[in-house]
Amino acid sequence: MGGAILWGAVAAAPLFIGAVLALLRKWPPRWLGIVLGFGAGALMASIAFELWEEGLDLAGPIPLVIGVAAGAISYYIADRILDARAAKTKAEAGGGQLAVGALLDGIPEQLVLGIGLASGEPVSIALVVAILVSNLPESIGSAADLLEGGMAKSRVLLLWAGVAVICALATVAGFGLASVTGDDFRSAASGFAAGALLVMLVDSMIPEAQSKAKESTGLATVLGFALAAGLALAS
């Protein structure tokens, strides 16, 4: 259990650290777009080389595809709710959408991490670095957007602290559930995270990066993908 608490905290910490970095300085829109593009590429690699591949190896396509559909629908519904609330307050929903994406990705992803730890699977340094590479830009971009939209610094920190704590607790929950869950559950959880991330990338993160970084977005995305894919393959 101690290992699950440790690795859960390590995996979730970048979410809060990114929010702190957004508060420490005002990021120029172009640089923020590049950071978001880089993070989007890293998340694409996470989907392709970790979530999808692992889910397929664990239980085949059926639980994985069911999880993908559930994750995509869950994010879509949550996104529509945020859009409706933003329309009422005449605010931008972009930062909130990224936070929801991080939550819907982080909970099942860290559940799987906890189950793996309970099963005796080792955690590689390359995997930890890959999590850092994908989560940090996501939280920087979201926190910066929320601050630009007028949210108080304390509320931004509290939001991302909450996301990080919930994701860390998911690792502990996964460790505890390991004895009553099987490969089908782990495969579906990986698929859920992949589905939520894919919708978030297409609907929120990449358009946000493109609007800020313009022609630099594609290059930043490819660099993020290459680094995260290399780390995933090395783990």
Side-chain angles (χ1 to χ4, degrees), residues 165-192:
V165 168
I166 291 170
C167 290
L169 289 175
T171 306
V172 179
F175 189 93
L177 290 169
S179 60
V180 295
T181 57
D183 288 344
D184 285 351
F185 177 84
R186 294 177 64 185
S187 177
S190 293
F192 187 97

Side-chain angles (χ1 to χ4, degrees), residues 80-127:
R80 299 288 73 76
I81 293 171
L82 281 177
D83 281 341
R85 290 184 62 185
K88 288 181 180 179
T89 59
K90 298 181 180 180
E92 293 290 334
Q97 291 165 337
L98 296 183
V100 169
L103 193 62
L104 293 180
D105 157 49
I107 291 175
E109 193 172 46
Q110 294 200 215
L111 270 172
V112 171
L113 174 62
I115 293 170
L117 287 168
S119 304
E121 297 176 7
V123 177
S124 73
I125 298 300
L127 177 60

